[in-house]
Amino acid sequence: MPKIKSFAPAWLNNPAPGHKLFEQPIDDSKLPAGLAYTKKWKPGARRTIAHRGTEVFVAVGKHIRWGDLVHLKETWESKPSRTSRAQRHDAEGSFDVYDEEAAAGNTQPGVSEGYRTIKTPVADDIRQLVMSPQQDFLAVLTSHTVHICILPDSSHLHANDSTPFKPKFWTLGPTTHVTSRSGVVSAVWHPLGVNGSSLVTVTEDAVVRVWELSTADRWTFDSPTLAVDLKRLADGTSLDQDFSVSTSATNKVFSPDSFDMEVAAACFPARGSGGWSSMTLWVAMVGGDVYALCPLLPQRWAPPPTLIPSLSVSIVARVAATEDDPEVSAEAKVLAQQQLEWMSDLDNQEPKLVEVPFSDFPAEVYTRPSRPGTIPRLQGPFHFEVNPDDEQDDEVELKDIYVIGEKINTADLMVGEEDELDVGEEDRNGLSLTVVCLLSTSGQVKICLDIDGVEAKWLPPRNRSRARLFPTPSKPPSLLTFQTFDTVKPAELTTDSWPMFSEDVTSRYAFYVTHPAGINHVSLAPWVFRLESELQGESEAGAEFRVNLLVQGRGSVSDRIYTQIPGQNTSPLAAALAMNDPDLGHFVLTATLHDPIALFFETPERETSSAREESPQLIEAGEPAEPPTVWEPRPLFHPSEALDHNSGLPAWLDHIKTGRRRPVIQQEVRLSIATLEVFTEGHRLVSTEVFELNNAVAELFRKCEALQSELQQQIVKVAEVKTRINTISGYESQDDDEPVSEDMLIKGRLRAAKQRQHELSKRMDNLRKKLGRATSRELSDKEKAWMDEVRALEHTIFPREGERASSPSKAKQTWERFEEIKALRDALFSQADQLQKKGGEAIGHEGGASPARNIKIPAEIRKAKVAQVMGLLERETALVDAVKSRLERLSVS
């Protein structure tokens, strides 16, 4: 079930212009005095809301109101002041909004608000609005007539013009759909019509007409291209019989079929369905019977790209399987030949390409095959196979039918092909069976499965020899009743209720049921995907175990999303209209005779594999439930219309004063028949008004009491939320503490967080330093090579014991050179000492003269030798110091 986020917003409530869009015009002057507010809707389907994008068309009596919901929302929310506006109704039921800007002449009333009134040529109240697939036609249905509105572009409706808009209207079948004939039950746009221009109408007397509309040819609106009388077709025996509609409206002969074949509703499956589904018309009778007409096609039709190839594959396979099988009946063989003949007629055609609006690819248009016949066989009534323990109500009355076609079988279509077929995810996933949903007057929904599958069938030819091959079928087609459930409680039933189906925009296996008591959302996803896995044989368990698990498992989910206020069931709801727009959201729109009703949901998610039923283990291990909300959305309360209507007593008194009972008013009260009649009429009028007012006031009083209790609950929930917030924020109020502002609490928490962050960063830096010193990571190859080089240099300068062997290379090692320099230095020092000693002895013998003076060494040689020795010493000293400092740095690091 979609979770309801909110109900009708402010821009749809009174006094917003969006509320005026749905108000029904009531002219009290044309109704009896005091009975203006007791007008009831006639029994019948009420589909009075249609949409084109965000534009909605609402049927209001004999007129249509147009409004752009996005424009209405933005206009209402952007206005700073709304209290100064005054609404007023005109005599024709149209409406204008008067405000200061309109009075000043800045804007025109009723146009800037985003809605307009569309004038229609209908003579009775509009019952249904049906939008075409291309959204360029709007079928307007009354009880007996059908009108086609050529919808203009949105820019024309948004034009700054306050006058009612008058678009082009065509009367469909001006001599066919008239009040002197049977009423129109359903008008369905054919899913295979060229650009959505083919309309199929079904009347109460079981007559199906196919109209192919073209604005360039007015005769397409006067006569249908195909008209079939289902009562004649049900009794037909050959293709050559006349199944057309009788043109006589007065000579009607009694027939049991007039009661057994009274049509309640008809529908087509979606265009993207597989097999023969998209060209099968399903018809539900009031008495409970269901019929199928396949193939029902217009004269020119445009199939989707996968339809004809898939049908061709299935027909060829069927012919090959039945041709040589002796156990196949003669009827099945001839039926396969008829389908092959029908497909051969299609293969011989050359399709025409027609441009499709809002599409980059043209559509292929074919002509309806004339062989074996243009009118198919009527299949039915279907027999409902139910459990023996189930009970069937013989007095059930069907009101609506909704059919979900089977999915496209892409596996058989692309056998032997390498490329994959480009099919949408919604059409690829689903059930390979057709699901037929029936809705009765009591609100009971019956889910049926077409196990055998409806396919194209025709009556046999008139040839007697071939007619023998078509014996009367002993077993009628059947539908398997999968599930039956009620959407309306017994206390909510009314005699003139007319429940309706509405499709959902989020899933093809979900829909809405609108009834006088409210709206129900029904989802078939819990069992559809599980059943498909069983049909495909994906499970390894036994068949009996799997069937029991499927039967005892979870079925369809039906949830009441909206409930009408008790006592207002006399104001029926329009069929729910589901919309999903980025600017508006996902919501359901409906309306009573006086007020709109909107239910806004959370953003929907695509239902693919997640829609499959989860196992109990996954459910138990799922995420915890969401926290409770402070308030629950509830429907908007609308007071009873009786509080807004004027009393009929003054009008009745004026009528008495001018009527034949005028003397009774002017004289004293006397016991007479005239006085009794006056008092009886006055009591009837006053009692009726007082009764309605009492009920309205009582309902208002009960709502006020409920509002008090709801307000108390919200106060309690708000207190709980406040306590939780204080607990999370770390501040718990005490009685003795001084009050602390929220700003101070936030600033204190920020300061504490910053201080703690600073301390953590310091600790992190210290730990990083310690880890850098403690951890011993592996050296890289470059570091290892550099260490080897340093060791080799160390050995060359400071060799170890036993390593001072002569190097085999010609270059001397550093330590050898150092030792050589030291030896030279010692030798020089020793020679200098000896020379000094010898010089001293010579001076002593020769009068004390220095011996060094006697040695004659040139000064240049002495200086050069000394400089050479000193340079070598300095060089070696510098080299030793550099190596020593480098070794110290290496040892430190």
Side-chain angles (χ1 to χ4, degrees):
M1 170 185 174
K3 185 177 181 181
I4 299 177
K5 183 171 59 176
S6 63
F7 286 85
W11 52 276
L12 283 179
N13 299 335
N14 200 15
H19 182 271
K20 301 298 180 182
L21 187 66
F22 298 86
E23 283 188 352
Q24 300 287 333
I26 298 178
D27 191 357
D28 296 346
S29 62
K30 298 181 181 180
L31 297 174
L35 300 178
Y37 55 89
T38 61
K39 181 182 178 181
K40 295 184 178 180
W41 181 266
K42 298 179 182 179
R46 184 169 180 257
R47 305 180 184 271
T48 56
I49 304 177
H51 80 101
R52 180 177 63 176
T54 59
E55 306 172 62
V56 293
F57 299 84
V58 184
V60 183
K62 300 177 183 179
H63 303 285
I64 299 176
R65 288 178 185 164
W66 168 89
D68 190 346
L69 296 182
V70 173
H71 187 73
L72 287 170
K73 177 184 177 182
E74 294 177 352
T75 304
W76 177 257
E77 292 178 350
S78 62
K79 283 199 172 184
S81 176
R82 307 180 185 94
T83 57
S84 61
R85 297 181 301 172
Q87 290 90 21
R88 61 187 181 184
H89 297 263
D90 58 10
E92 297 179 354
S94 60
F95 49 90
D96 294 333
V97 177
Y98 179 81
D99 54 13
E100 296 177 357
E101 295 181 357
N106 298 332
T107 59
Q108 295 187 5
V111 179
S112 61
E113 301 295 343
Y115 58 79
R116 291 189 69 177
T117 300
I118 298 178
K119 292 289 186 179
T120 63
V122 300
D124 197 1
D125 290 342
I126 300 174
R127 290 176 173 266
Q128 299 185 48
L129 297 177
V130 187
M131 184 68 66
S132 66
Q134 297 295 338
Q135 299 182 346
D136 52 353
F137 295 111
L138 181 65
V140 181
L141 278 71
T142 63
S143 60
H144 290 78
T145 61
V146 180
H147 299 268
I148 305 299
C149 175
I150 312 299
L151 291 179
D153 190 73
S154 302
S155 59
H156 297 284
L157 295 172
H158 278 285
N160 194 13
D161 189 1
S162 59
T163 59
F165 189 77
K166 296 181 180 180
K168 180 64 176 178
F169 272 90
W170 296 88
T171 301
L172 191 68
T175 60
T176 302
H177 296 304
V178 292
T179 55
S180 60
R181 296 181 180 270
S182 298
V184 180
V185 174
S186 297
V188 188
W189 295 96
H190 202 292
L192 302 182
V194 180
N195 289 336
S197 61
S198 179
L199 184 67
V200 178
T201 59
V202 184
T203 56
E204 294 179 353
D205 57 349
V207 175
V208 178
R209 296 178 175 89
V210 181
W211 309 78
E212 299 181 47
L213 309 180
S214 175
T215 56
D217 186 2
R218 58 171 298 179
W219 297 107
T220 58
F221 296 88
D222 292 343
S223 59
T225 58
L226 182 65
V228 183
D229 190 348
L230 299 185
K231 294 189 295 294
R232 292 186 177 183
L233 187 59
D235 299 331
T237 57
S238 65
L239 285 171
D240 301 332
Q241 293 181 350
D242 183 15
F243 303 112
S244 60
V245 183
S246 176
T247 57
S248 176
T250 57
N251 299 329
K252 292 186 178 181
V253 183
F254 171 79
S255 173
D257 294 337
S258 302
F259 299 94
D260 296 338
M261 300 191 70
E262 182 182 355
V263 179
C267 73
F268 279 101
R271 175 180 172 86
S273 303
W276 301 90
S277 299
S278 57
M279 59 183 73
T280 303
L281 178 67
W282 292 83
V283 183
M285 304 299 174
V286 175
D289 294 334
V290 177
Y291 294 87
L293 199 62
C294 178
L296 182 65
L297 294 172
Q299 183 65 30
R300 298 173 66 252
W301 58 292
T306 59
L307 180 59
I308 293 181
S310 61
L311 291 180
S312 178
V313 170
S314 62
I315 290 174
V316 172
R318 177 169 184 157
V319 172
T322 59
E323 189 173 9
D324 300 331
D325 192 352
E327 298 182 358
V328 177
S329 63
E331 180 185 3
K333 291 183 179 181
V334 177
L335 178 60
Q337 293 296 328
Q338 285 183 328
Q339 292 181 358
L340 182 61
E341 187 179 3
W342 184 84
M343 182 56 65
S344 300
D345 195 342
L346 277 182
D347 293 338
N348 295 330
Q349 297 182 18
E350 185 66 27
K352 297 181 180 179
L353 298 181
V354 177
E355 296 295 332
V356 179
F358 310 106
S359 179
D360 299 333
F361 303 98
E364 295 182 350
V365 177
Y366 290 85
T367 304
R368 180 178 57 207
S370 58
R371 296 178 301 172
T374 58
I375 299 178
R377 170 185 287 182
L378 182 63
Q379 305 178 42
F382 285 83
H383 173 68
F384 295 97
E385 297 181 358
V386 296
N387 232 340
D389 298 335
D390 295 342
E391 294 181 359
Q392 278 188 314
D393 188 4
D394 296 335
E395 298 181 356
V396 64
E397 291 186 0
L398 296 181
K399 293 301 182 183
D400 204 356
I401 182 173
Y402 182 73
V403 181
I404 306 173
E406 61 182 85
K407 70 174 184 178
I408 300 176
N409 191 357
T410 58
D412 296 341
L413 185 59
M414 301 301 294
V415 172
E417 300 290 339
E418 297 181 357
D419 299 334
E420 293 185 358
L421 191 63
D422 186 13
V423 180
E425 190 70 19
E426 188 71 16
D427 297 331
R428 186 187 300 272
N429 296 324
L431 189 63
S432 56
L433 300 177
T434 300
V435 182
V436 181
C437 306
L438 304 175
L439 184 59
S440 61
T441 308
S442 61
Q444 184 186 74
V445 178
K446 183 182 294 185
I447 309 296
C448 304
L449 301 178
D450 183 16
I451 303 296
D452 300 330
V454 173
E455 54 186 3
K457 291 185 179 180
W458 294 267
L459 290 171
R462 197 169 184 178
N463 188 357
R464 295 182 180 179
S465 60
R466 299 190 63 184
R468 296 177 182 177
L469 301 177
F470 289 87
T472 303
S474 59
K475 184 180 179 181
S478 61
L479 295 175
L480 176 61
T481 304
F482 185 83
Q483 188 181 8
T484 302
F485 55 89
D486 295 326
T487 58
V488 181
K489 300 177 181 179
E492 298 173 338
L493 295 177
T494 56
T495 56
D496 55 351
S497 64
W498 197 287
M500 296 163 289
F501 283 118
S502 300
E503 63 179 5
D504 192 7
V505 295
T506 59
S507 174
R508 62 182 298 189
Y509 291 101
F511 52 85
Y512 296 94
V513 177
T514 307
H515 45 80
I519 303 174
N520 281 56
H521 177 266
V522 180
S523 176
L524 311 182
W527 59 268
V528 163
F529 299 99
R530 186 176 56 199
L531 177 59
E532 179 63 20
S533 64
E534 298 296 335
L535 294 176
Q536 300 298 331
E538 298 178 1
S539 178
E540 298 180 357
E544 184 177 358
F545 172 77
R546 290 186 283 111
V547 170
N548 292 335
L549 183 63
L550 182 63
V551 172
Q552 299 174 4
R554 187 181 179 187
S556 303
V557 179
S558 176
D559 296 303
R560 179 74 65 87
I561 61 176
Y562 176 76
T563 303
Q564 275 261 64
I565 299 176
Q568 294 188 3
N569 293 357
T570 55
S571 181
L573 293 173
L577 178 66
M579 298 177 62
N580 188 10
D581 183 77
D583 297 327
L584 300 174
H586 177 215
F587 66 99
V588 169
L589 182 64
T590 182
T592 63
L593 294 177
H594 307 279
D595 303 294
I597 298 171
L599 290 81
F600 286 82
F601 305 118
E602 291 185 348
T603 304
E605 297 181 357
R606 302 293 296 178
E607 295 184 1
T608 53
S609 59
S610 61
R612 302 175 184 267
E613 185 179 6
E614 298 180 354
S615 61
Q617 293 81 1
L618 295 177
I619 296 175
E620 294 177 0
E623 298 182 356
E626 296 181 358
T629 56
V630 179
W631 60 275
E632 295 291 339
R634 61 179 183 271
L636 185 68
F637 174 73
H638 297 284
S640 177
E641 295 81 11
L643 299 175
D644 299 330
H645 290 285
N646 298 327
S647 174
L649 189 59
W652 176 74
L653 291 176
D654 294 339
H655 178 71
I656 292 296
K657 292 178 181 179
T658 57
R660 61 187 182 89
R661 302 299 183 187
R662 180 177 55 183
V664 178
I665 302 299
Q666 298 175 355
Q667 64 185 5
E668 297 179 358
V669 178
R670 296 180 180 179
L671 299 179
S672 62
I673 297 178
T675 304
L676 180 61
E677 290 180 357
V678 171
F679 273 90
T680 302
E681 292 179 2
H683 179 268
R684 184 185 302 110
L685 176 61
V686 173
S687 63
T688 303
E689 292 185 354
V690 170
F691 176 76
E692 296 290 340
L693 290 174
N694 285 339
N695 291 338
V697 172
E699 180 63 30
L700 185 60
F701 179 76
R702 288 192 295 269
K703 193 63 180 178
C704 291
E705 286 187 340
L707 186 61
Q708 291 180 358
S709 62
E710 291 175 357
L711 183 59
Q712 292 177 358
Q713 293 177 2
Q714 291 187 13
I715 292 174
V716 172
K717 290 184 178 180
V718 169
E720 293 177 357
V721 173
K722 182 178 181 297
T723 305
R724 294 179 59 185
I725 292 175
N726 291 336
T727 303
I728 295 172
S729 61
Y731 173 75
E732 297 181 1
S733 60
Q734 302 293 337
D735 296 337
D736 300 336
D737 296 342
E738 296 182 359
V740 182
S741 65
E742 185 178 358
D743 185 43
M744 295 177 63
L745 288 174
I746 294 175
K747 289 182 179 179
R749 290 182 61 191
L750 286 175
R751 285 194 298 270
K754 289 181 179 179
Q755 185 177 359
R756 182 170 176 79
Q757 179 69 21
H758 182 66
E759 294 176 356
L760 289 175
S761 62
K762 290 180 64 177
R763 291 179 60 187
M764 182 63 70
D765 293 339
N766 296 332
L767 290 174
R768 188 183 295 109
K769 291 179 181 179
K770 291 182 180 180
L771 289 174
R773 290 193 297 267
T775 57
S776 58
R777 61 184 182 85
E778 296 182 359
L779 299 177
S780 62
D781 295 338
K782 291 184 178 180
E783 291 176 341
K784 291 180 181 179
W786 185 69
M787 287 184 64
D788 295 340
E789 183 181 355
V790 171
R791 290 194 187 98
L793 181 61
E794 181 183 7
H795 293 166
T796 58
I797 298 176
F798 301 106
R800 297 178 182 177
E801 296 295 335
E803 294 183 358
R804 295 196 174 186
S806 59
S807 175
S809 61
K810 295 181 180 181
K812 294 182 179 181
Q813 297 292 333
T814 307
W815 63 271
E816 294 177 350
R817 295 170 61 190
F818 184 69
E819 292 294 337
E820 184 179 358
I821 292 173
K822 288 173 63 178
L824 289 174
R825 185 193 64 180
D826 294 340
L828 289 174
F829 281 158
S830 62
Q831 290 179 7
D833 291 340
Q834 291 177 3
L835 290 174
Q836 188 176 3
K837 290 178 181 181
K838 289 180 180 181
E841 292 176 356
I843 290 172
H845 292 288
E846 295 181 5
S850 175
R853 293 179 181 178
N854 297 328
I855 300 173
K856 295 181 180 180
I857 301 174
E860 292 82 3
I861 295 174
R862 186 171 61 251
K863 290 180 181 180
K865 288 292 183 181
V866 172
Q868 184 179 3
V869 171
M870 295 303 294
L872 290 174
L873 289 175
E874 290 178 358
R875 181 179 178 184
E876 295 298 332
T877 304
L879 181 62
V880 171
D881 292 340
V883 172
K884 190 180 297 183
S885 62
R886 190 172 182 182
L887 290 175
E888 289 177 356
R889 288 197 302 271
L890 290 175
S891 62
V892 170
S893 61

